[in-house]
Amino acid sequence: MIRRAKISEIPDILRVTRACAAFMTDKNIFQWNENYPSKATFETDIERNELYVLVINEQIIGSIVVSSCIDAEYIPVSWLTATDRNLYIHRLAVHPSYQGRGYAQQLMDFAELYAKENDYVSVRLDTFSKNERNIKFYETRGYKRLSDIFFPNQSKHPFHCYELVLK
């Protein structure tokens, strides 16, 4: 079941994202670190009603942020659609113990259906340039790679921006 996250669930969500960060670091993918994603980031996501969790057997095993807010880093990107009715995906995570079972697909299906049902023209996101698994995941779903952006507090390497046009 995918539902909105509660503030009391932040410790569980952080356990998932920290497990993901450690899993990626073991594979020399330095996408997330001890500073990101943070408790404060998730608190803001919940205040905005943008954070959703995937619950299996009463346990949070994944999360996704579905936002209509454009981050400042995205403003210079040459997007495929006008910046007006766009949905932004952030912090998609599935606990490593549950990866490879289609749960990330379910979270993305949820986000894309949300975008269609709420009349957004596209879904936008970024993924770390050194995370080949994520790149393949998004490109297989039909996302088009655009330009790169940088998050210096996360990595010296770029993040690729992607967009899926819905209409």
Side-chain angles (χ1 to χ4, degrees):
M1 167 180 61
I2 298 172
R3 61 164 172 75
R4 278 210 172 101
K6 301 171 191 164
I7 199 84
S8 62
E9 296 171 324
I10 289 178
D12 295 323
I13 296 163
L14 284 169
R15 270 192 284 287
V16 170
T17 57
R18 287 180 180 149
C20 289
F23 183 75
M24 288 186 286
T25 300
D26 287 346
K27 297 185 176 319
N28 292 316
I29 301 169
F30 303 100
Q31 180 172 342
W32 289 352
N33 57 38
E34 65 279 356
N35 300 315
Y36 184 87
S38 68
K39 178 183 177 194
T41 301
F42 287 129
E43 288 171 345
T44 299
D45 294 336
I46 289 172
E47 287 169 13
R48 292 179 177 169
N49 291 314
E50 297 175 340
L51 179 58
Y52 293 83
V53 291
L54 173 60
V55 180
I56 302 294
N57 297 325
E58 300 180 28
Q59 181 180 358
I60 292 173
I61 64 141
S63 61
I64 190 170
V65 173
V66 179
S67 175
S68 60
C69 300
I70 185 169
D71 289 350
E73 292 84 0
Y74 283 180
I75 291 172
V77 175
S78 295
W79 297 102
L80 299 171
T81 61
T83 298
D84 180 30
R85 295 282 308 149
N86 316 97
L87 198 69
Y88 300 89
I89 304 301
H90 300 293
R91 296 176 280 290
L92 171 63
V94 174
H95 192 284
S97 299
Y98 292 88
Q99 290 181 7
R101 300 183 198 179
Y103 292 125
Q105 296 279 4
Q106 285 182 27
L107 286 162
M108 286 304 296
D109 289 346
F110 168 81
E112 290 165 9
L113 181 61
Y114 179 94
K116 289 175 187 171
E117 288 177 345
N118 289 281
D119 230 9
Y120 289 94
V121 296
S122 74
V123 179
R124 297 174 176 177
L125 54 87
D126 66 78
T127 195
F128 189 50
S129 61
K130 300 297 180 185
N131 192 332
E132 293 296 327
R133 184 176 178 194
N134 279 9
I135 291 168
K136 182 179 178 186
F137 175 74
Y138 294 120
E139 290 179 358
T140 299
R141 293 186 69 85
Y143 284 77
K144 302 295 179 215
R145 181 176 160 191
L146 305 171
S147 57
D148 290 344
I149 57 175
F150 290 86
F151 296 100
N153 290 336
Q154 286 176 250
S155 176
K156 64 180 180 177
H157 299 287
F159 287 69
H160 301 321
C161 291
Y162 284 88
E163 186 170 19
L164 177 69
V165 178
L166 302 173
K167 298 181 179 196

